[in-house]
Amino acid sequence: MDLIKQLNETVLYIRSRSSRVPKVGIVLGSGLGNLVEEIAVDIEIPYDEIPHFPVTTVEGHSGKLILGKISGKPVVAMSGRFHYYEGYPAHYVVYPIRALKYLGVETLVISNAAGGINSSLRVGDLMIITDHISLFVANPLIGKNEEAIGLRFPDMSEPYNRRLISRVKEIAAGLQIPLKEGVYAGVTGPTFETRSEYRMLHLVGCDAVGMSTVQEVIAAVHTGMKVVAVSVITDMGIREDDNIITHEEVLHAAAAAEPKLSAIFRELVAEL
Ligand code: HPA
């Protein structure tokens, strides 16, 4: 079926459940689902009830759309996102992002769990993403372009909005929350990287690496949404002794760092 028609059906359904028009969308990363506690919830809609939405398969992602308010501002949050490694085609991964735009979202606030590559990073750090490098992740805009959504050849000189990056830095400083900044490497997963791959990512200019976000950001920029994204560093890729990384460790570290992220998002949303 025609993409625009699908998006309209999706939005019609969501509107039938809540008449709010959220201008802010939030994507909650792995182990960061407790950010929803910041939301005064109006309604939660499981993804499998929403026409044309994919459903999540990964542990730590519950899979529902939450409409409510943060700091008095109407928001829509994705609790559970879709990853390329789950086997979805790229355009599926970004379907909900496009749906958020059709719902009225102008600014997308993204969080994720990421492996630290830059040796100045530590587990538990927050890193604001200033740019990304996509490595072997299919571009979600491959295929017929929908002119009604965006350009065939979108500019990517500022995928992460500079003004919002500055604001997040100021907010973090005001809250005395240390905030690093850096370039996010988007990989497919689901394997964590080999030692040599972490070294390569460092050499090509990446500071952290993760298995989400890049396709979502490309789709969001294509629609004209402003994007800001923060990584929680959940493990260090480059370490010479014990390089074993587990999903449990990632979820645990993300949950531990989450209150810092919540505090920043609360203030950010208040001024969006
Ligand atoms: N590599 C890729 N994805 C990740 C990592 C990592 O080290 N940590 C959390 N997500």
Side-chain angles (χ1 to χ4, degrees):
M1 198 206 285
D2 176 55
L3 175 61
I4 307 292
K5 192 155 179 262
Q6 286 185 333
L7 288 166
N8 283 327
E9 285 179 8
T10 297
V11 167
L12 213 58
Y13 177 79
I14 297 169
R15 288 257 164 81
S16 77
R17 304 281 306 267
S18 167
S19 56
R20 265 195 211 298
V21 179
K23 289 199 175 148
V24 179
I26 301 175
V27 182
L28 306 170
S30 300
L32 298 167
N34 287 338
L35 270 174
V36 302
E37 281 161 23
E38 297 299 317
I39 306 175
V41 178
D42 274 346
I43 188 167
E44 300 187 345
I45 313 176
Y47 290 156
D48 60 8
E49 293 177 11
I50 305 176
H52 311 302
F53 252 54
V55 278
T56 47
T57 63
V58 83
E59 186 195 333
H61 297 263
S62 43
K64 59 193 176 194
L65 208 59
I66 302 171
L67 288 112
K69 283 187 171 178
I70 294 182
S71 312
K73 293 277 167 74
V75 298
V76 52
M78 286 178 63
S79 173
R81 56 146 63 101
F82 302 94
H83 300 87
Y84 195 43
Y85 63 73
E86 291 175 82
Y88 302 111
H91 69 267
Y92 242 70
V93 171
V94 302
Y95 184 83
I97 303 293
R98 290 172 165 158
L100 294 189
K101 167 72 179 186
Y102 271 65
L103 201 59
V105 169
E106 293 169 1
T107 305
L108 191 63
V109 181
I110 295 181
S111 61
N112 62 45
I117 299 170
N118 187 315
S119 60
S120 72
L121 293 169
R122 296 285 172 273
V123 170
D125 276 353
L126 302 184
M127 185 191 91
I128 179 123
I129 301 178
T130 53
D131 206 354
H132 71 227
I133 295 178
S134 173
L135 287 148
F136 318 117
V137 176
N139 192 306
L141 307 187
I142 290 173
K144 178 176 172 285
N145 187 54
E146 287 292 351
E147 289 292 331
I149 297 181
L151 297 175
R152 169 75 292 187
F153 300 107
D155 175 70
M156 278 286 148
S157 60
E158 191 188 332
Y160 303 86
N161 184 272
R162 270 185 224 140
R163 198 188 64 77
L164 292 175
I165 291 173
S166 306
R167 277 308 297 143
V168 168
K169 285 184 183 175
E170 285 161 11
I171 289 167
L175 293 167
Q176 299 191 317
I177 295 172
L179 180 69
K180 306 280 176 61
E181 64 177 90
V183 175
Y184 177 89
V187 294
T188 68
T191 45
F192 291 111
E193 290 62 44
T194 63
R195 289 166 189 263
S196 304
E197 285 167 343
Y198 281 118
R199 275 200 299 273
M200 174 197 76
L201 293 172
H202 188 50
L203 283 172
V204 299
C206 302
D207 299 296
V209 54
M211 306 174 195
S212 65
T213 302
V214 162
Q215 290 171 322
E216 296 160 353
V217 172
I218 290 171
V221 170
H222 184 231
T223 68
M225 282 190 280
K226 283 186 268 199
V227 176
V228 62
V230 178
S231 290
V232 174
I233 305 302
T234 55
D235 52 271
M236 283 307 291
I238 296 189
R239 50 182 174 181
E240 288 310 321
D241 43 353
D242 165 16
N243 217 49
I244 293 171
I245 298 167
T246 65
H247 184 53
E248 290 67 36
E249 166 189 356
V250 166
L251 293 180
H252 181 79
E258 185 178 298
K260 295 190 286 186
L261 196 59
S262 297
I264 293 173
F265 280 8
R266 200 186 304 135
E267 285 208 16
L268 178 67
V269 172
E271 57 186 62
L272 289 176

